[in-house]
Amino acid sequence: MNMKKLLLFSTLFIAQFVWAQQNVEFERKNFKDDIKGYKRAMDSISAGDEFYNRDDPQWHYHAIPYYLSANKFNPDNAMLNYKIGACYLSPVAPFKTMAIPYLEKAYKMNPNVAPDIHYMLGRAYHVNMQWDLAIKEYNNYGSTLDPKKFQKEIDDTKKKIQECKNGIELVKNPVRVFIDNVGPSINTEYPEYGPIISADESEMIFTSRRPNSTGGKLAEDGLYYEDLYISYYRNGKWLPATNMGEPINTEMHDATAGLSPDGQILYIYRVDNGGDIYQSFLEGDEWSKPKEPGGKINSSSHESSVSLAPDSKTLYLVSDRPGGFGDRDIWKVVLNNKAKWGEPVNLGPVINTKYGEEGVDIQADGKTLYFSSEGHNSMGGYDVFKSQCDSNGKWSEPENLGYPINTPENDVFFTISASGKHGYYSSVKKDGYGDKDIYMITFLGPEKPVALSNEDDLLAGNAGGVSDVMVASAVAVNKTKMTLLKGIITDTVTHQPLEASIELVDNVKNVVIADFTSNSKTGKYLVSLPSGTNYGIAVKAKDYLFYSENFNIPDTATYQVVEKNVALQPLNIGSRIVLKNIFFDFDKATLRSESTAELDRLINLLTTYGNLKIEISGYTDSKGSQAYNQKLSESRSKSVVDYLIAHGIPSARLTYKGYGMDDPIATNETDEGRQLNRRTEFKIIGK
């Protein structure tokens, strides 16, 4: 090809390229050859504008199908491309990265298509983690703003630039996780989000906006009203989720807000009074009608999520009530002496920022807090953070959970299992079923490729597909120091399940740290026990002897599941139990202070049933002589009787006896067996 022909070819190519980038207005004269198509396109634009021109940006997403129809007819209109890109960046839009080609084309056709075109391009690059391009566009936008008129916009742009810088640092060191869709039993083409799970991961309750919602009506944003759904994990898979129905769900919005540690109290968000929290109790296999928790939990402000601490007396609350640091803050509420929730206390500036905090989740140790925040070192929208409270009540600087858990979009309502191995949240990914889906995060599992994408969480919006793949660097495995204790309470005679109160005691501090109830129909109970404590657990039911157990969980213990089924004995003559939380000094009959809670339970039983007469029986192991063990066991049983008499129990109702090494309940050949044989019992001898 000679130079003349080359120049001609180049000129024609450039002319075609420029023509392709020319802005073609939606005017009748430009479409004389297809007037019908032009009219249909204008009708589509008009229908899209009905959504786009609304003040609430959540509506903008609904304009996309109409705009795309018009764009198919005329793909070279700058304003229409801009609007499509802007709609893909609306809060509820699932695939935000789809905004990029439309906004880029709009800018090429008309750099002045809209005053905020650079900001919109910055947002599109931001959610796609094209950090440098996003920063460039944000700076371009900021340079056009007059500080005297647009300080709010300038501040927002500066924050977005800082989020991009945070993202650059976080992506450098991705955490070793992998993220899996929980499957079609839970997820649909409609939005699913707000998962809350039981401590043993056997059930999940979540929010969905699918067509079979209660009432089946569309809400103000064009989607179906929120309802709560439940799914159970059986034989290695999630069963098909079912609508929880009335009275949990209503014809209005009902969304997940929290679940008590034992799974017996469900907290629900409703839009009443600006947004309030309701609670429902699991009575057998039915949930009670939701009611307000009372006290100072709800206000005329917006309350959105809660987390009940393991002691059942402390509640963490998200609210935008007056007295906070900015938007929604996290507050602490304590149950007072009248069993009412007291005045909320703000957690302070270490946790709360001038931006929004949301999705609070206190762990079973009572000191580890997960929450989402738009502040701190978020890489965009809400990121999930972790903070720990020390013995002085001081919260540590929140730690960003890192990428790819956190993304440039909203990552909210994250929840973690008792084992610490799995987390659950909602996100939008290429392997999803349409809109937001619920995913399971596996922490520090076997090394495998980590998908570096910009998927985001729940209520947020979302991002596109996998943009790169790499293997994250290995990190130290921090095993959760937690014991999950669960079981069934039954009648020892009939073997029928029982509703019983369960008291958890710190034996060293002699304080009750939790009080909860087994399910009235199934008798099931569940509790998480942090390691490093000596626990006493007492199970009580009306007209039954209480049952006690001692658990010494060393600080070195990692996560474990202990199943302890308890059969309670009716209050009949001859019934007997081992007082497992009675402790003596070594080789002495002196009661140790850790015995107080157990002794007080015995006093309460004898006070409640004033006609009971009991024998306190002491036993030893086989070490030592028969005579010595006989004397020691009798002295110890007498110490218990003396304590009871000193606390108001008539001596006529009490006898004591030492049995020494007689009647062993375990082998004397091992340390564990001998420990079981060294025991204090009581039995009913009259009533």
Side-chain angles (χ1 to χ4, degrees):
M1 183 181 294
N2 61 32
M3 185 60 67
K4 185 179 289 186
K5 288 184 178 180
L6 179 61
L7 285 173
L8 178 61
F9 177 83
S10 300
T11 302
L12 290 171
F13 177 82
I14 293 171
Q16 289 175 351
F17 179 82
V18 171
W19 178 84
Q21 298 303 308
Q22 287 179 342
N23 180 30
V24 180
E25 297 291 352
F26 275 93
E27 296 177 355
R28 187 185 183 96
K29 63 181 181 180
N30 293 329
F31 305 99
K32 293 179 181 179
D33 295 336
D34 191 359
I35 298 300
K36 289 184 178 179
Y38 166 73
K39 289 182 177 180
R40 286 194 298 268
M42 292 303 296
D43 288 342
S44 294
I45 291 174
S46 178
D49 286 344
E50 289 290 324
F51 297 104
Y52 185 80
N53 293 330
R54 298 194 184 192
D55 292 333
D56 186 351
Q58 292 193 96
W59 279 99
H60 297 176
Y61 174 62
H62 297 287
I64 291 177
Y66 300 101
Y67 285 161
L68 288 177
S69 177
N71 185 260
K72 186 175 182 180
F73 175 77
N74 175 21
D76 296 320
N77 180 264
M79 179 53 70
L80 182 57
N81 276 277
Y82 167 81
K83 286 182 176 180
I84 294 172
C87 290
Y88 272 121
L89 292 174
S90 69
V92 298
F95 295 102
K96 286 184 170 60
T97 50
M98 294 180 70
I100 291 177
Y102 296 100
L103 292 172
E104 287 181 337
K105 188 171 184 178
Y107 179 72
K108 288 177 181 178
M109 288 188 292
N110 181 5
N112 299 312
V113 63
D116 63 349
I117 180 62
H118 288 294
Y119 181 83
M120 287 297 185
L121 279 166
R123 289 289 299 126
Y125 293 135
H126 189 163
V127 298
N128 197 42
M129 296 190 300
Q130 295 176 256
W131 311 113
D132 293 334
L133 286 175
I135 291 172
K136 178 183 176 181
E137 293 299 332
Y138 285 142
N139 279 323
N140 287 339
Y141 174 67
S143 67
T144 68
L145 300 174
D146 183 349
K148 295 180 180 179
K149 298 180 180 179
F150 300 103
Q151 190 58 53
K152 182 178 179 180
E153 289 78 4
I154 291 173
D155 291 342
D156 174 65
T157 303
K158 288 180 178 178
K159 183 177 186 299
K160 293 291 190 297
I161 291 172
Q162 184 58 55
E163 289 172 352
C164 290
K165 292 179 179 179
N166 295 337
I168 291 172
E169 295 304 313
L170 290 166
V171 170
K172 283 181 182 177
N173 299 290
V175 293
R176 185 156 61 92
V177 300
F178 50 94
I179 304 171
D180 298 299
N181 193 300
V182 296
S185 294
I186 289 174
N187 294 316
T188 68
E189 62 183 287
Y190 301 93
E192 279 80 36
Y193 49 86
I196 50 179
I197 58 169
S198 59
D200 60 353
E201 298 180 75
S202 65
E203 63 183 63
M204 178 192 298
I205 300 174
F206 62 95
T207 306
S208 181
R209 304 192 69 174
R210 58 187 71 174
N212 68 336
S213 62
T214 304
K217 298 178 181 178
L218 296 176
E220 61 282 353
D221 59 0
L223 299 174
Y224 289 97
Y225 279 101
E226 296 172 308
D227 265 5
L228 280 78
Y229 291 75
I230 189 168
S231 175
Y232 300 95
Y233 195 76
R234 300 287 186 270
N235 300 318
K237 63 181 181 179
W238 290 102
L239 300 181
T242 57
N243 188 301
M244 295 187 72
E246 297 178 342
I248 296 298
N249 292 316
T250 67
E251 293 188 358
M252 303 298 288
H253 286 296
D254 304 282
T256 50
L259 186 69
S260 63
D262 63 357
Q264 301 295 299
I265 307 174
L266 175 63
Y267 296 97
I268 302 163
Y269 167 81
R270 289 180 174 174
V271 295
D272 303 354
N273 193 33
D276 277 352
I277 300 296
Y278 284 72
Q279 65 182 13
S280 173
F281 294 89
L282 185 58
E283 299 173 346
D285 55 4
E286 300 288 338
W287 290 97
S288 67
K289 182 177 181 180
K291 296 181 180 179
E292 292 193 60
K296 304 292 185 177
I297 299 296
N298 290 322
S299 68
S300 58
S301 299
H302 185 275
E303 285 75 40
S304 56
S305 69
V306 298
S307 183
L308 185 67
D311 63 2
S312 301
K313 299 177 182 178
T314 307
L315 190 105
Y316 292 86
L317 166 72
V318 174
S319 173
D320 64 356
R321 64 186 63 201
F325 289 85
D327 197 349
R328 296 175 193 168
D329 278 4
I330 300 174
W331 306 71
K332 179 180 177 180
V333 194
V334 177
L335 206 64
N336 61 29
N337 294 332
K338 297 181 181 179
K340 299 288 185 182
W341 292 109
E343 196 69 41
V345 177
N346 194 288
L347 286 194
V350 173
I351 298 295
N352 295 312
T353 68
K354 65 179 180 179
Y355 306 104
E357 276 68 48
E358 186 56 275
V360 62
D361 187 19
I362 188 71
Q363 296 303 289
D365 60 4
K367 60 183 181 181
T368 303
L369 189 75
Y370 289 93
F371 65 99
S372 293
S373 175
E374 294 176 305
H376 304 294
N377 64 326
S378 164
M379 69 165 70
Y382 284 96
D383 275 9
V384 184
F385 292 86
K386 172 184 176 182
S387 178
Q388 290 189 304
C389 189
D390 63 20
S391 57
N392 297 317
K394 182 179 179 180
W395 291 98
S396 65
E397 189 69 27
E399 172 191 352
N400 191 304
L401 290 196
Y403 177 79
I405 296 170
N406 288 318
T407 70
E409 274 299 302
N410 289 334
D411 302 289
V412 197
F413 300 118
F414 167 89
T415 185
I416 194 166
S417 64
S419 68
K421 183 179 180 181
H422 296 140
Y424 295 83
Y425 74 161
S426 181
S427 183
V428 178
K429 305 177 189 291
K430 277 190 173 181
D431 67 348
Y433 293 87
D435 207 297
K436 304 173 187 70
D437 281 353
I438 294 172
Y439 285 79
M440 181 180 74
I441 305 166
T442 301
F443 293 93
L444 305 170
E447 290 190 25
K448 63 178 284 189
V450 177
L452 298 186
S453 60
N454 43 324
E455 54 270 6
D456 86 56
D457 182 38
L458 153 74
L459 299 173
N462 89 341
V466 175
S467 59
D468 197 3
V469 173
M470 67 175 287
V471 176
S473 57
V475 295
V477 177
N478 295 314
K479 303 221 174 179
T480 300
K481 295 184 177 182
M482 197 77 63
T483 293
L484 189 65
L485 177 67
K486 63 179 183 178
I488 301 174
I489 313 299
T490 58
D491 182 304
T492 192
V493 177
T494 66
H495 307 295
Q496 292 299 306
L498 289 176
E499 179 179 4
S501 64
I502 303 169
E503 191 176 71
L504 183 62
V505 178
D506 184 323
N507 282 330
V508 176
K509 297 180 180 178
N510 277 325
V511 294
V512 176
I513 58 177
D515 198 345
F516 51 100
T517 305
S518 63
N519 185 276
S520 59
K521 184 172 183 178
T522 65
K524 291 182 178 180
Y525 74 94
L526 181 151
V527 62
S528 296
L529 307 174
S531 301
T533 303
N534 183 279
Y535 294 100
I537 294 180
V539 183
K540 299 177 288 184
K542 185 179 179 181
D543 297 330
Y544 288 85
L545 290 177
F546 67 83
Y547 173 91
S548 63
E549 185 71 84
N550 172 257
F551 287 88
N552 185 28
I553 305 175
D555 191 42
T556 56
T558 56
Y559 178 74
Q560 59 182 331
V561 178
V562 176
E563 189 161 345
K564 183 67 178 179
N565 297 324
V566 176
L568 295 182
Q569 300 185 59
L571 286 173
N572 296 327
I573 294 176
S575 295
R576 55 194 277 182
I577 62 169
V578 178
L579 297 169
K580 294 186 178 179
N581 290 302
I582 297 291
F583 307 99
F584 297 94
D585 287 341
F586 177 71
D587 213 25
K588 295 181 181 178
T590 307
L591 284 165
R592 291 167 55 183
S593 59
E594 295 95 314
S595 307
T596 302
E598 187 86 312
L599 291 166
D600 288 346
R601 278 190 286 271
L602 183 53
I603 291 170
N604 289 335
L605 178 71
L606 294 170
T607 301
T608 302
Y609 301 96
N611 294 324
L612 282 185
K613 294 182 179 181
I614 67 170
E615 176 191 290
I616 302 296
S617 313
Y619 296 86
T620 68
D621 59 28
S622 62
K623 285 192 172 183
S625 67
Q626 175 70 41
Y628 178 82
N629 285 328
Q630 175 66 33
K631 182 179 180 181
L632 178 62
S633 62
E634 186 171 315
S635 297
R636 286 181 168 179
S637 60
K638 182 178 184 300
S639 293
V640 174
V641 167
D642 289 344
Y643 183 96
L644 298 177
I645 293 172
H647 287 77
I649 304 301
S651 60
R653 299 174 58 193
L654 307 170
T655 60
Y656 64 88
K657 189 171 182 180
Y659 291 90
M661 62 180 70
D662 295 344
D663 198 18
I665 59 174
T667 178
N668 277 303
E669 300 303 316
T670 64
D671 289 340
E672 294 78 9
R674 286 189 291 271
Q675 184 176 351
L676 291 173
N677 289 330
R678 297 190 297 269
R679 67 195 189 276
T680 302
E681 294 184 353
F682 87 84
K683 64 180 178 181
I684 299 175
I685 59 175
K687 57 181 292 191

